[in-house]
Amino acid sequence: MTTPPRPLRVAVIGAGPAGIYASDLLIRNEEVEVFVDLFEQMPAPFGLIRYGVAPDHPRIKGIVKSLHNVLDKPHLRLLGNVTVGRDVTVEELREYYDAVVFSTGAVADRELNIPGIDASGSYGAADFVGFYDGNPRFERSWDLSARSVAVIGVGNVGLDVARILAKTGDELRVTEIPDNVYESLSRNRATEVHVFGRRGPAQVKFTPQELKELDHSPTINVVVDPADIDYDAASEEARRASKSQDLVCQILEQYAIREAKEAPHTLQIHLFENPVEVLHRDGSVVGLRTERTELDGRGGVRSTGKFTDWPVQAVYRAVGYRSDAVAGVPFDFERNVIPNDGGHVLDNAGVERIPGLYATGWIKRGPVGLIGNTKSDAKETTDMLISDAVNGALEVPTFTDPEAITELLDARGVPFTTWEGWHRLDSAERALGEAEGRERKKIVDWEEMVRHAREVPVCI
Ligand SMILES: Cc1cc2nc3c(=O)[nH]c(=O)nc-3n(C[C@H](O)[C@H](O)[C@H](O)COP(=O)(O)OP(=O)(O)OC[C@H]3O[C@@H](n4cnc5c(N)ncnc54)[C@H](O)[C@@H]3O)c2cc1C
């Protein structure tokens, strides 16, 4: 057994929770000394915690405070505003690091192939989330003129989208949303938000807390039709097998039987309604057609041939996120993940390991699961990497000087941001928020983020 004679240098690609947890585990392992360079395409770290978790979930956004402790460590260096595959290639990284870990997550919407899905007024949830969470890559304003809106999908992202659409702009103004988002949300005319899922209460993907929390807004009356509460033997088994699913069923039942709440906005969750077509006139959404389903006794549903047209003027599909391929790394275009054996990157055939390349987080196992799940996932991957290092299975890179990579980025004119830069941007956002009595107000312009992070004075 050989131990590397010098500290290991690892590049982790993607500063979302998976990349940060993996970096932490690598630095804290007791077998090999590891230095990590954490590459991130955005000028700011934290991935979907910053650009996915809804702004009215400050407790979850607060997870970044614990991640600060990791990024504060001297063995970790953040290199933000660097897109791997564009500013620096994977092939090049292999010359500078003993190992490369991909934690590039997911940003785009999975497709939903039903007629009319491309009509004007039909949106992907990821685009709307990117907008309201102030991601500089997404639209800066949003047409919220629809009075009735449909959300397709019965997972937590569907609930986020429905809740943001059903709340008032003023309710959200206390959060970190930037001015452009507040301006659009304050013009929101939606009074009815309908969430559609093709299966029943025992099959929805909500988590209890998110479902219950819908009712906390004084402006939202949550409605479930008692006819949408139905269970067969397989559903009862699913409830017995999962405490969380059972709680979800109980909450849905409560919504179904209680007195209507006096509130200006209705959010109705429709179960056993399978969206089959987005209806449109002159290219714009005028409705959603669903087909009623029923339980098939085996844990699934079957069609009934009964259709309903719901008059809505906007449709949001929240049917899952999708990861993008990184240039120079194998990609499984069917599962939308980097092929891997639980940590090692495999070739495109999914057979041979590619030495020195690893994957973790959503890019490893697909876009499901909460932030906490990325921790155990990172452990599996980093254990493999450390074991490979200890067993001498990693190739020695050509360049071992830590400054060689920043010199390369400088030579290419890549204006990378650092952890100190994040502190400057963070302070600027906090100062903007403080002036309005909030904790933070996000800066949404990419160049402005970079200017703050790189300490060039901003002209106002
Ligand atoms: C809308 C939404 C709301 C959610 N809300 C919650 C919630 O309330 N609670 C909860 O626990 N979980 C929530 N989740 C789930 C949680 O966000 C994920 O479990 C988690 O973010 C996955 O972590 P990750 O690091 O794998 O991916 P990500 O968070 O996506 O991080 C990947 C990072 O890689 C970067 N990157 C990608 N490509 C490159 C490249 N080529 N070069 C450099 N950098 C790159 C990206 O910019 C990003 O920062 C939510 C998810 C979504 C989509």
Side-chain angles (χ1 to χ4, degrees), residues 13-19 39-42 46-49 52-54 57 60 82-85 103-106 129 132 157 160 210 321 326 360-363 369-372 374:
I13 318 304
F39 288 83
E40 169 56 49
Q41 65 187 354
M42 305 301 292
F46 307 124
L48 285 169
I49 304 182
V53 171
H57 278 169
I60 309 290
V82 181
T83 299
V84 169
S103 49
T104 47
V129 170
Y132 69 60
V157 176
D160 279 350
E210 277 66 24
Y321 269 50
V326 178
T360 192
W362 275 16
I363 193 67
L370 298 172
I371 294 162
T374 61

Side-chain angles (χ1 to χ4, degrees), residues 270-451:
H270 303 265
L271 305 171
F272 300 111
E273 294 290 347
N274 183 24
V276 291
E277 184 174 355
V278 176
L279 307 173
H280 52 95
R281 193 178 311 124
D282 301 328
S284 296
V285 172
V286 292
L288 181 73
R289 178 166 297 163
T290 62
E291 181 177 13
R292 190 75 184 163
T293 60
E294 62 187 13
L295 291 163
D296 65 4
R298 298 187 307 275
V301 289
R302 57 178 164 243
S303 308
T304 64
K306 292 180 199 138
F307 294 89
T308 308
D309 291 350
W310 308 86
V312 295
Q313 301 83 47
V315 173
Y316 292 76
R317 62 183 185 282
V319 293
Y321 269 50
R322 183 176 55 76
S323 298
D324 282 338
V326 178
V329 191
F331 198 69
D332 178 338
F333 284 93
E334 259 175 37
R335 293 181 53 231
N336 287 309
V337 293
I338 293 178
N340 67 86
D341 63 358
H344 298 100
V345 173
L346 302 177
D347 62 9
N348 271 320
V351 180
E352 298 285 333
R353 285 181 184 170
I354 305 193
L357 300 191
Y358 302 82
T360 192
W362 275 16
I363 193 67
K364 164 182 165 181
R365 62 188 157 78
V368 284
L370 298 172
I371 294 162
N373 301 118
T374 61
K375 215 178 213 176
S376 44
D377 194 43
K379 173 94 175 82
E380 185 185 36
T381 297
T382 55
D383 280 354
M384 288 183 184
L385 194 161
I386 297 300
S387 160
D388 289 348
V390 169
N391 292 315
L394 299 178
E395 282 170 27
V396 178
T398 314
F399 307 102
T400 51
D401 176 1
E403 301 316 317
I405 190 73
T406 48
E407 283 165 13
L408 178 79
L409 294 172
D410 278 334
R412 288 188 178 161
V414 178
F416 61 88
T417 58
T418 60
W419 183 231
E420 293 71 35
W422 159 252
H423 280 297
R424 286 189 284 271
L425 174 57
D426 184 42
S427 302
E429 291 191 339
R430 285 177 185 281
L432 286 173
E434 209 175 303
E436 297 177 13
R438 5 185 200 157
E439 191 178 327
R440 165 191 309 278
K441 181 160 81 172
K442 262 186 187 160
I443 293 174
V444 73
D445 182 69
W446 192 296
E447 297 306 323
E448 198 182 334
M449 289 174 77
V450 174
R451 279 200 301 272

